[in-house]
Amino acid sequence: MLNTIEINNIYKRYGTTNALNGINLSIQSGQIYGVLGPNGSGKTTLLKIIAGILPASSGDVSVNGISVRENPDAIKSITGYIPETPALYESLTPVEYFNFLASVFKIDEHALRDRINAFANALEIGKYLDEFIGSLSFGTKQKVAIIGSLIHDPQVIVMDEGMNGLDPKSSKIIKELLKDITARGKTVIFSTHIMEIAETVCDTISILYNGNIAGTGNLAQLKEEAGSSNNDLEGIFLKLTGDEDLDNLLDSLRDSIK
Ligand code: ADP
């Protein structure tokens, strides 16, 4: 199978902070790939580098053979990026925002109208299409951001905690949408703190810890890698990220608040 995304020896430093320490991953097309890790482990940094938004300090990422370092604009044209906190033009309406994106990505007017209608119906935001984005709830803004990132029919969708703020029905719809997208050979990479989402949605998971890969694989492979007797992803995650001794931590916390 064609490897969509090759991540080769990526390092990222912010001043004296080493955020990523030589990440190597091979992400095949047609799958949902989860990036998990504690706060500060480097998830956002890695996703931004993959999406061509942030330059690596060294190393490179290639998407369908195109180098992010050499051609970040080409990567952006085939990638949809959904940030953790949607950064949208508050004084535009969703329709105006989608029209703006359509002009950037040169999307045909009929295709645009069809896509807006289909997504707006699926995510139940039809009645907000002509409201100012600034007046919408966080969850509705998140849906607008998701639709905006999919409007140019990207090959690769990168979501940073992209299901935060969604109600259960919308989250379910997005999960099904992502499965449909990958069934058509596209690739979804997303970070999440929610183990249930990672467990039920991802074909492959990489666990980041302190800017390094602590484990990669499907659940069975991760379990083996962690040498874990625990069957669920949370137990594997805690084992790989060194936090398995939670009971002691919780005991001392309980002692201190008695
Ligand atoms: P995560 O998404 O897993 O929480 P991040 O990629 O946001 O992790 O951060 C990884 C490390 O890099 C953290 O130590 C964080 O404080 C640091 N970092 C992230 N962005 C910046 C920045 N713009 N300037 C300085 N340090 C940063």
Side-chain angles (χ1 to χ4, degrees):
M1 193 192 280
L2 178 74
N3 279 329
T4 308
I5 300 169
E6 292 287 351
I7 298 168
N8 293 316
N9 216 17
I10 289 287
Y11 284 80
K12 180 67 186 180
R13 282 176 293 280
Y14 298 104
T16 54
T17 304
N18 292 323
L20 296 174
N21 300 308
I23 303 293
N24 290 289
L25 292 173
S26 198
I27 301 178
Q28 293 183 332
S29 57
Q31 62 171 326
I32 304 184
Y33 199 100
V35 178
L36 264 67
N39 291 334
S41 57
K43 301 180 297 297
T44 296
T45 301
L46 181 61
L47 295 193
K48 282 185 175 169
I49 291 171
I50 293 171
I53 291 165
L54 181 73
S57 302
S58 64
D60 200 4
V61 175
S62 70
V63 179
N64 290 344
I66 304 168
S67 156
V68 171
R69 181 172 288 281
E70 286 167 16
N71 211 338
D73 288 345
I75 298 299
K76 283 179 208 157
S77 71
I78 57 166
T79 305
Y81 176 70
I82 303 155
E84 184 171 4
T85 308
L88 299 167
Y89 298 98
E90 306 260 303
S91 57
L92 294 184
T93 67
V95 163
E96 288 167 343
Y97 173 59
F98 300 143
N99 282 333
F100 163 70
L101 292 174
S103 66
V104 172
F105 290 111
K106 300 184 175 46
I107 303 167
D108 160 69
E109 205 178 304
H110 293 291
L112 175 69
R113 208 176 317 130
D114 287 351
R115 282 180 206 164
I116 293 176
N117 285 339
F119 285 131
N121 280 339
L123 295 182
E124 300 177 319
I125 64 157
K127 64 180 173 187
Y128 302 116
L129 286 177
D130 296 313
E131 305 280 330
F132 287 121
I133 291 173
S135 70
L136 304 178
S137 69
F138 180 84
T140 307
K141 284 183 188 166
Q142 189 71 342
K143 291 178 188 176
V144 172
I146 290 171
I147 296 173
S149 75
L150 296 174
I151 210 94
H152 60 300
D153 198 20
Q155 296 294 312
V156 179
I157 295 104
V158 179
M159 298 176 85
D160 194 359
E161 301 279 346
M163 279 182 257
N164 282 359
L166 293 179
D167 53 71
K169 188 173 172 190
S170 302
S171 160
K172 170 85 179 151
I173 291 167
I174 297 286
K175 283 192 229 169
E176 293 305 316
L177 183 69
L178 296 183
K179 285 183 187 165
D180 288 354
I181 287 173
T182 51
R184 289 191 282 123
K186 300 183 177 191
T187 310
V188 175
I189 305 173
F190 76 88
S191 68
T192 181
H193 280 106
I194 305 169
M195 299 291 156
E196 182 270 337
I197 292 180
E199 212 162 348
T200 55
V201 175
C202 296
D203 301 299
T204 310
I205 293 168
S206 275
I207 297 182
L208 266 181
Y209 185 50
N210 284 342
N212 298 294
I213 301 290
T216 292
N218 58 29
L219 264 189
Q221 291 162 332
L222 282 172
K223 189 182 165 201
E224 199 178 316
E225 199 158 336
S228 174
S229 54
N230 203 330
N231 269 323
D232 66 24
L233 184 57
E234 190 169 58
I236 295 168
F237 176 90
L238 292 173
K239 184 124 197 190
L240 285 173
T241 57
D243 282 345
E244 58 180 331
D245 203 14
L246 269 189
D247 286 344
N248 287 339
L249 287 173
L250 288 172
D251 283 347
S252 50
L253 178 65
R254 283 182 197 114
D255 283 347
S256 68
I257 57 173
K258 256 180 203 160

